[in-house]
Amino acid sequence: MSTTIRTNCPRDCYDGCGIVVELRDNAQPRVLGDPTHPVSRGRLCSKCAIAYNGVWQDSSARLTHPMRRVGKKGRAAFERISWDEALHEIASKLHRIIDTQGPEAVLHTHYSGTLSLIAYQFPNRFFNYLGASEVDPDSICNAAGHVAWHLLYGNSVMGFDPRTIKDASCLLVWGANPSHSAPHAHEYWLTEASAKIVVIDPLQTDTAKAADLHLQLRPGSDAALAFGLLHVLQSMGVFDSEFIDSCTVGADEIMPTIKRCDPQWTSEQTGVPIESIIEAARLYAAGPAMLWCGQALQRQPSGGNIMRSVGLLPAMTGNVGKPGTGFCYLNYTPAFAGIDLDALAGAELRAQAGKKISHMDLAPRLVDANEIKALFSWNTNPLASAPRQKELRAAFERENLFTVVVDCFPTDTTAYADMVLPAASFLEFDDMTFSYFHLHMGAQAKVSEPMGESLPNQEIFRRLAKAMGYTQAELFEDDTALLNNMMSQMNPGFDFDGLKQRGHFYITTEPLPMHAERVFETPSGKIEIASNKAQAMGLPRIPQATVDARPRDGRLRLLSPASKWRLNDSYGNDPHIIEQSGPATVHVSPNDARTANVKDGDKVRLRNDTGAIELIARIDPSLLDGTALSYKGRWPSLESNACNLNFVHTARKADMGDSTSVHATEVILEPV
Ligand SMILES: Nc1nc2c(c(=O)[nH]1)N[C@H]1C(S)=C(S)[C@@H](COP(=O)(O)OP(=O)(O)OC[C@H]3O[C@@H](n4cnc5c(=O)[nH]c(N)nc54)[C@H](O)[C@@H]3O)O[C@H]1N2
Ligand SMILES: Nc1nc2c(c(=O)[nH]1)N[C@H]1C(S)=C(S)[C@@H](COP(=O)(O)OP(=O)(O)OC[C@H]3O[C@@H](n4cnc5c(=O)[nH]c(N)nc54)[C@H](O)[C@@H]3O)O[C@H]1N2
Ligand code: SF4
Ligand SMILES: [Mo]
């Protein structure tokens, strides 16, 4: 006998797939794709198909009870304790720290383990009420882009509705690799579009290979390319003067730069052939045209400027607010659906604005024994994902730093905890999911009991609030009330049980028009090509046609984008995934390999002032000279040299948002 339950994938992924779980007598549940789901159409990506039927359901791989450290930090030596003991010990430590140093000495860091709304947002209520300091989550991923889109359009989370592609004649995919990061959008959405697809990426990704046109530019040269395209568009006479006059400010200030960036100059700056620049402009000019900017695009030293420059294309050509047009960075689907995310995270519980620390500053700030006394890391694995891995480990070793880590698995980060708390997985509690690209919401349905003594994030922090002696009602709101409240805010005409039966729903039946009313949330209410606000922030008033300096002294610019086999660092511990994806490799061009005296299959070292890491070389003719590729997401503790790429990630900040510029990491390649 078997029955099935519908649920949805809550990972940090554009697709937001539907799942069907088959419950079978005396056998492990089988996690499969939901055939009724419009994005994934019955299939999961390869990594989830493996890991959801692998480590996620393997009690020997999961954390199943609270644990207290017994050995040296980093050694992962723990003893099992009860929840009561764990929570009371944490509460008494926190009270002591708050009484002597104030709540700001408590720091929490969290990010993208699960994006299901309650598990992702609710624990923030606890930290907001407490008045803790926070590591700015987006500073490791996409903060520069958010700042840039805000300056230009006043909003960074209102993109296009992907369904509107039916009205488009062209789509630019700029600095995103859906063949890895949105595999079903790559497989169906892109291939079924009648629009011409132009991919702008330094790598020949599978999405680039399948596109009508691929502009293989040098990394960090995107602003120059944007201006080059604008130059051609202007000379073709396709600037939309009515739109520019009524909806933008500062177009006259940007014109001299556009006039200067002719195709010859642009080609020299970017490495893209003149004909390709003209062809891309021609395809975009045919309009209506859409622009999808990936998150990699802004992980550059000039990432904010790049986003502001690329964002000029829709503004100058009027590709805004009409079917088949627009620009997408992310869609804040739950907010469009009516969910009050600030309330879910308890933003109003915070008496005063707490300290925000960038991931780029985490290691040096944490090492300082006077500033941070307690660290909570939940829903994130910083000792795999964050920069300056060596320094960060040293910071986590500080004996007078009280560290609590909440995860489903024992990770590189839990190894340094004083207290490890086991989190239930998405198969083990009800919650709400969404896609940050497609405009649908989904039910996360409980399929089985939490493994061992594990608990959902939200329940852990309810219990901790109780142990602290807090009585504020919002800290104890239960999941049923939270889910009912979200359903009534969205008001789709059915309740959470109805959503569970359906699996998912689109927040509108027809494509949602974005920016149709042509009002923008900038100070002027218009698209701010020239921005006083930027100037006040110490940034240029207008976007600049600059390119990043090329690496010096034979160094390579190391790109470490999304891997097909891992979701950030999640799944890095699944044995089948480890087997499928093979050893850690770095791809380099034949010229760079020759210069470094490296052959295919050689063991090589990548090093810089921050650290060194050893991998296997792959000579790849599709790589541009001066560029190296190695995918993110491996677990340091499972590597032969006990570190991953973030060992050489220098934590240099982008120009905006104190954000990462990881794709500009420079390394020296040498044989081992
Ligand atoms: N070199 C390099 N580094 C990068 C990037 C890059 O491009 N290159 N990309 C960066 C980006 S874009 C991001 S977003 C970050 C992401 O970095 P992280 O936020 O660290 O993401 P993950 O590595 O997937 O870690 C998430 C952790 O959450 C756990 N988890 C899953 N579900 C739950 C749950 O329900 N509760 C709890 N408590 N834990 C759960 C998982 O087991 C996993 O250990 O990495 C960044 N790091
Ligand atoms: N399978 C899988 N899916 C994922 C993730 C994962 O780890 N694995 N991570 C998730 C997360 S947290 C995020 S933030 C997203 C990220 O997903 P994306 O937005 O797609 O970003 P990345 O994978 O970092 O890089 C995408 C492409 O940008 C290119 N790129 C790098 N530098 C430049 C540049 O200077 N200019 C241009 N034009 N392109 C450049 C890279 O070569 C790469 O092909 O994916 C999500 N989905
Ligand atoms: S990670 Fe992405 S592609 Fe894979 S099942 Fe989840 S939503 Fe789908
Ligand atoms: Mo991310």
Side-chain angles (χ1 to χ4, degrees):
M1 261 288 286
S2 79
T3 51
T4 56
I5 297 182
R6 274 219 170 97
T7 183
N8 286 273
C9 181
R11 302 275 82 79
D12 186 344
C13 171
Y14 293 90
D15 281 355
C17 299
I19 291 177
V20 165
V21 181
E22 238 179 61
L23 298 175
R24 303 169 298 170
D25 288 340
N26 306 319
Q28 179 183 300
R30 275 218 302 171
V31 182
L32 306 162
D34 178 353
T36 69
H37 198 275
V39 172
S40 46
R41 308 187 191 173
R43 281 182 44 219
L44 301 178
C45 63
S46 3
K47 59 191 180 297
C48 291
I50 295 173
Y52 287 167
N53 294 295
V55 276
W56 284 76
Q57 293 193 61
D58 177 356
S59 61
S60 69
R62 290 269 304 273
L63 290 169
T64 51
H65 42 75
M67 299 190 294
R68 179 200 286 130
R69 177 169 70 91
V70 291
K72 220 170 128 12
K73 291 197 180 196
R75 296 272 166 82
F78 299 106
E79 62 179 352
R80 177 177 177 166
I81 55 172
S82 70
W83 271 108
D84 264 0
E85 231 181 319
L87 295 172
H88 284 102
E89 191 169 324
I90 296 170
S92 77
K93 284 257 165 51
L94 284 186
H95 275 306
R96 206 169 323 133
I97 291 166
I98 295 166
D99 290 348
T100 52
Q101 295 230 195
E104 291 203 334
V106 178
L107 176 69
H108 77 118
T109 184
H110 59 106
Y111 209 22
S112 66
T114 181
L115 296 197
S116 69
L117 289 175
I118 303 179
Y120 182 90
Q121 299 282 3
F122 187 88
N124 290 303
R125 290 192 182 181
F126 175 83
F127 292 105
N128 281 333
Y129 182 74
L130 188 151
S133 303
E134 183 188 26
V135 180
D136 175 8
D138 288 346
S139 63
I140 199 146
C141 175
N142 55 18
H146 284 305
V147 175
W149 284 119
H150 266 271
L151 290 173
L152 189 62
Y153 286 102
N155 190 322
S156 59
V157 289
M158 181 178 280
F160 52 65
D161 186 329
R163 290 172 292 180
T164 183
I165 189 109
K166 65 178 168 43
D167 302 307
S169 75
C170 176
L171 166 70
L172 301 187
V173 181
W174 201 320
N177 177 16
S179 67
H180 287 185
S181 62
H184 299 96
H186 166 80
E187 190 177 352
Y188 303 120
W189 183 67
L190 285 176
T191 55
E192 289 166 11
S194 57
K196 296 284 185 198
I197 312 289
V198 180
V199 170
I200 301 168
D201 197 307
L203 299 176
Q204 236 178 60
T205 63
D206 285 343
T207 303
K209 283 185 208 153
D212 294 285
L213 181 64
H214 174 204
L215 307 189
Q216 191 171 12
L217 80 179
R218 282 193 286 269
S221 67
D222 302 83
L225 182 62
F227 277 98
L229 293 174
L230 287 162
H231 180 99
V232 180
L233 291 164
Q234 198 258 339
S235 56
M236 291 167 76
V238 290
F239 275 12
D240 183 336
S241 50
E242 185 279 324
F243 185 83
I244 292 172
D245 290 347
S246 53
C247 299
T248 73
V249 290
D252 48 334
E253 290 179 56
I254 206 77
M255 283 313 295
T257 319
I258 293 175
K259 293 230 165 81
R260 187 162 54 74
C261 299
D262 61 33
Q264 173 77 36
W265 175 88
T266 306
S267 178
E268 284 158 13
Q269 299 300 311
T270 61
V272 177
I274 291 177
E275 322 70 82
S276 300
I277 297 167
I278 294 170
E279 176 64 1
R282 199 185 61 75
L283 292 172
Y284 191 77
M290 292 160 77
L291 168 66
W292 176 11
C293 288
Q295 309 188 37
L297 182 54
Q298 47 86 65
R299 274 179 218 140
Q300 321 291 348
S302 56
N305 179 64
I306 286 174
M307 290 303 248
R308 273 176 94 194
S309 305
V310 173
L312 294 174
L313 284 160
M316 298 303 279
T317 55
N319 273 298
V320 178
K322 294 172 288 199
T325 68
F327 47 86
C328 188
Y329 186 39
L330 296 173
N331 277 324
Y332 221 9
T333 309
F336 301 163
I339 293 179
D340 184 344
L341 293 167
D342 280 345
L344 198 54
E348 80 293 348
L349 294 173
R350 193 181 260 292
Q352 65 202 47
K355 257 191 235 171
K356 278 244 186 195
I357 294 177
S358 163
H359 276 279
M360 301 306 109
D361 297 323
L362 182 58
R365 295 283 288 271
L366 212 51
V367 106
D368 173 0
N370 294 318
E371 189 183 359
I372 307 299
K373 299 291 180 186
L375 172 70
F376 278 78
S377 172
W378 59 278
N379 217 24
T380 185
N381 181 7
L383 285 177
S385 59
R388 300 193 86 93
Q389 202 164 82
K390 185 166 151 196
E391 224 177 301
L392 195 59
R393 271 185 205 156
F396 268 78
E397 265 168 19
R398 178 155 68 80
E399 269 304 324
N400 55 1
L401 177 71
F402 178 64
T403 306
V404 180
V405 181
V406 189
D407 204 298
C408 309
F409 298 98
T411 66
D412 283 272
T413 307
T414 60
Y416 286 80
D418 292 285
M419 207 63 90
V420 178
L421 304 179
S425 90
F426 76 106
L427 296 170
E428 298 157 2
F429 59 98
D430 285 347
D431 206 331
M432 190 76 74
T433 66
F434 64 99
S435 161
Y436 52 75
F437 189 64
H438 308 283
L439 301 190
H440 57 68
M441 302 291 306
Q444 175 178 303
K446 179 173 173 173
V447 170
S448 52
E449 288 305 317
M451 203 166 269
E453 294 177 5
S454 67
L455 294 170
N457 291 348
Q458 58 271 32
E459 181 58 18
I460 293 174
F461 286 96
R462 284 186 198 108
R463 293 190 189 191
L464 185 56
K466 180 156 182 266
M468 293 289 289
Y470 295 158
T471 54
Q472 185 81 20
E474 291 91 331
L475 302 176
F476 302 99
E477 198 173 351
D478 67 30
D479 287 356
T480 309
L482 292 164
L483 288 167
N484 287 342
N485 196 20
M486 283 192 262
M487 290 308 295
S488 63
Q489 286 170 346
M490 294 191 290
N491 197 19
F494 42 84
D495 61 8
F496 187 68
D497 281 333
L499 178 55
K500 273 181 163 177
Q501 278 160 23
R502 286 169 174 79
H504 70 276
F505 73 99
Y506 272 87
I507 62 169
T508 54
T509 42
E510 291 304 310
L512 186 68
M514 312 260 194
H515 304 294
E517 67 301 335
R518 296 169 149 216
V519 179
F520 300 89
E521 297 162 60
T522 55
S524 62
K526 298 187 176 198
I527 300 169
E528 297 203 338
I529 294 167
S531 162
N532 293 332
K533 194 170 158 191
Q535 206 166 17
M537 291 161 73
L539 297 165
R541 238 178 98 68
I542 53 171
Q544 306 288 307
T546 49
V547 298
D548 289 352
R550 309 263 281 278
R552 288 166 302 110
D553 313 326
R555 284 163 193 257
L556 306 178
R557 185 158 165 151
L558 174 65
L559 307 182
S560 54
S563 151
K564 177 183 172 185
W565 288 109
R566 289 167 173 81
L567 198 295
N568 296 326
D569 301 276
S570 293
Y571 312 158
N573 58 336
D574 188 286
H576 290 104
I577 286 191
I578 291 170
E579 194 188 314
Q580 288 282 346
S581 56
T585 54
V586 58
H587 294 235
V588 292
S589 75
N591 285 334
D592 288 330
R594 208 171 304 119
T595 309
N597 200 17
V598 160
K599 291 190 294 305
D600 192 72
D602 279 358
K603 194 167 191 187
V604 293
R605 187 179 299 119
L606 300 178
R607 69 174 168 85
N608 57 24
D609 292 343
T610 302
I613 167 171
E614 289 175 8
L615 323 86
I616 305 296
R618 289 273 171 263
I619 297 180
D620 184 341
S622 78
L623 264 263
L624 293 172
D625 289 342
T627 304
L629 161 69
S630 186
Y631 294 112
K632 68 169 158 176
R634 303 183 71 97
W635 283 29
S637 55
L638 302 180
E639 297 298 298
S640 57
N641 48 188
C643 55
N644 72 8
L645 289 169
N646 286 315
F647 216 74
V648 293
H649 178 188
T650 55
R652 177 178 171 193
K653 287 180 187 171
D655 53 349
M656 297 180 197
D658 282 340
S659 197
T660 178
S661 67
V662 65
H663 291 320
T665 302
E666 291 184 13
V667 289
I668 293 167
L669 168 74
E670 58 194 18
V672 172

